[in-house]
Amino acid sequence: MSATAAKRGQKNWPKQVEAVCVRQGLQLTPLRRRVLSILGESAAPLGAYAIIDRLSKIEGKQIAPPTVYRTLEFFAENGFLHKIESRNVFARCEHVGHAHYGALLLCETCGRSEEIEDEALDEFLKRTAARAGFALQPQMLELQGLCKSCAAAARGA
Amino acid sequence: MSATAAKRGQKNWPKQVEAVCVRQGLQLTPLRRRVLSILGESAAPLGAYAIIDRLSKIEGKQIAPPTVYRTLEFFAENGFLHKIESRNVFARCEHVGHAHYGALLLCETCGRSEEIEDEALDEFLKRTAARAGFALQPQMLELQGLCKSCAAAARGA
DNA sequence: GTCATTATGTTATAATATTGCATTTGGCAA
DNA sequence: TTGCCAAATGCAATATTATAACATAATGAC
Ligand SMILES: [Zn+2]
Ligand SMILES: [Zn+2]
Ligand SMILES: [Zn+2]
Ligand SMILES: [Zn+2]
């Protein structure tokens, strides 16, 4: 994805979420809108406490963790957000409303994540796991590496 | 892998670790041996605080977290242990001394983990990520699902 | 033995996340 | 409208996971 496309995705994400909420009768409350906006503006996925801090600034008073964790849970349950378990951060879903076969590509240098959909990957994994008698759940892989620009920078250095 | 083979692996793991330590001149101290034995006897991967509790029982006094975290770090750095980031637990490496291409298959029901080596999987992932301009680090995947026996039990239920 | 290095002990604290319960809000039926 | 229920939020306490900082002890090289 180009940098332009990434920016477009970032800008559109709150609107996409709002559209799905309207369609499905989900309450997009003021609190949820504020958290949506915080997540929407971040270049890289955010941790819960980073969100708590920003929200507290906006509200002008200290917000307690459960407030934010519950909001994040709401977004994750409804497919708007991915929790990245290997880093304890939350990333916008870049395919709101789509089926999810694929992976999150996580850059170790800049912290950004990119989401790819790939049914062939899903199939490959299922077959690989099946050889060991294992039945995989549907899931987003977390793959660690370097994004295009950080890899280029590393080569240049 | 059969249940018998799994049991063999479990029994042999401390000995394999010891052999590698001797070969590489790594100190297998009394503390490390005790932690090795705790990990060697567990059916499923253990969290740091589970290890702290068991070790404290064995030693007859409360062991502090850094003691255990440092021991786990030693095992992980030397390729004897995998930290499972999605669950905050530590699993015996089932291929001590081998190259690592592959995945940890994690059972959501019984908590056990199984390690597979698969160079083709590694290749597939690299190519998939490369299409997005991403350069993957070598890494063990974490794949969530049901192990053979738990999947069978679930079908039977 | 001296010294440097590695390993362990200990205290405190950081970072991440959840429980439980009180209060408020929003939707809806009588 | 009013009363009610369910969903959402506020809030305090606490649980869980992990690290920092510094002191002491053990080990190995010379
Ligand atoms: Zn997604
Ligand atoms: Zn990057
Ligand atoms: Zn391994
Ligand atoms: Zn199982």
Side-chain angles (χ1 to χ4, degrees):
Chain A
M1 176 163 37
S2 74
T4 327
K7 206 161 207 174
R8 245 198 337 274
Q10 182 180 331
K11 293 278 191 234
N12 283 334
W13 181 74
K15 294 191 176 175
Q16 292 173 12
V17 170
E18 174 155 20
V20 174
C21 284
V22 170
R23 254 196 282 136
Q24 306 196 203
L26 300 168
Q27 291 188 52
L28 203 46
T29 62
L31 170 64
R32 287 173 181 168
R33 277 178 199 283
R34 285 188 287 263
V35 172
L36 197 64
S37 148
I38 289 167
L39 286 162
E41 286 169 3
S42 176
L46 292 173
Y49 280 77
I51 296 168
I52 289 168
D53 291 346
R54 296 181 195 203
L55 184 58
S56 297
K57 275 237 174 82
I58 292 172
E59 305 260 4
K61 64 173 180 183
Q62 189 59 35
I63 301 302
T67 299
V68 164
Y69 276 101
R70 282 186 300 224
T71 305
L72 294 171
E73 188 181 24
F74 166 82
F75 289 132
E77 275 176 352
N78 291 288
F80 304 138
L81 209 57
H82 295 289
K83 172 157 193 193
I84 300 177
E85 299 287 353
S86 58
R87 300 188 174 181
N88 301 318
V89 294
F90 298 83
R92 295 184 293 272
C93 175
E94 296 173 12
H95 302 116
V96 169
H98 297 210
H100 274 88
Y101 313 99
L104 294 167
L105 304 177
L106 311 176
C107 180
E108 308 210 307
T109 297
C110 67
R112 283 169 217 247
S113 82
E114 185 168 331
E115 188 171 341
I116 58 176
E117 252 186 89
D118 191 327
E119 199 163 351
L121 170 57
D122 189 64
E123 262 313 304
F124 195 104
L125 291 170
K126 272 195 202 145
R127 275 203 310 280
T128 301
R131 265 184 251 126
F134 227 85
L136 289 190
Q137 309 278 157
Q139 67 200 280
M140 291 299 288
L141 288 192
E142 297 178 16
L143 299 176
Q144 318 281 333
L146 295 181
C147 74
K148 197 167 198 164
S149 66
C150 288
R155 278 193 306 275
Chain B
M1 176 161 36
S2 73
T4 326
K7 207 162 204 172
R8 242 195 343 270
Q10 181 179 333
K11 293 279 193 233
N12 282 335
W13 182 75
K15 293 192 175 174
Q16 293 172 11
V17 171
E18 175 155 19
V20 175
C21 284
V22 169
R23 254 195 283 136
Q24 307 197 201
L26 300 168
Q27 292 189 51
L28 203 45
T29 62
L31 170 65
R32 288 173 181 169
R33 277 179 199 283
R34 286 188 288 263
V35 172
L36 196 66
S37 146
I38 288 167
L39 285 161
E41 286 168 2
S42 175
L46 293 172
Y49 280 76
I51 296 167
I52 289 168
D53 291 346
R54 295 181 196 202
L55 184 58
S56 296
K57 276 237 173 83
I58 292 172
E59 305 261 4
K61 63 174 178 183
Q62 189 59 34
I63 300 302
T67 298
V68 163
Y69 277 101
R70 284 187 297 225
T71 305
L72 294 171
E73 189 181 24
F74 166 83
F75 289 132
E77 275 176 352
N78 289 288
F80 304 138
L81 210 56
H82 293 290
K83 172 156 192 192
I84 300 177
E85 299 288 353
S86 59
R87 301 188 173 180
N88 300 320
V89 295
F90 298 83
R92 294 185 291 274
C93 174
E94 296 172 12
H95 302 117
V96 170
H98 296 211
H100 273 89
Y101 312 99
L104 295 166
L105 304 176
L106 310 177
C107 180
E108 307 211 307
T109 298
C110 68
R112 285 171 217 247
S113 82
E114 184 169 333
E115 188 172 342
I116 58 176
E117 251 184 271
D118 191 326
E119 199 164 351
L121 170 55
D122 188 63
E123 262 313 303
F124 195 104
L125 291 170
K126 272 196 202 146
R127 275 201 310 278
T128 301
R131 265 185 253 127
F134 227 84
L136 289 190
Q137 308 276 158
Q139 66 199 280
M140 292 297 291
L141 288 192
E142 296 179 15
L143 299 176
Q144 319 280 334
L146 295 180
C147 73
K148 197 167 197 163
S149 66
C150 289
R155 279 194 305 276

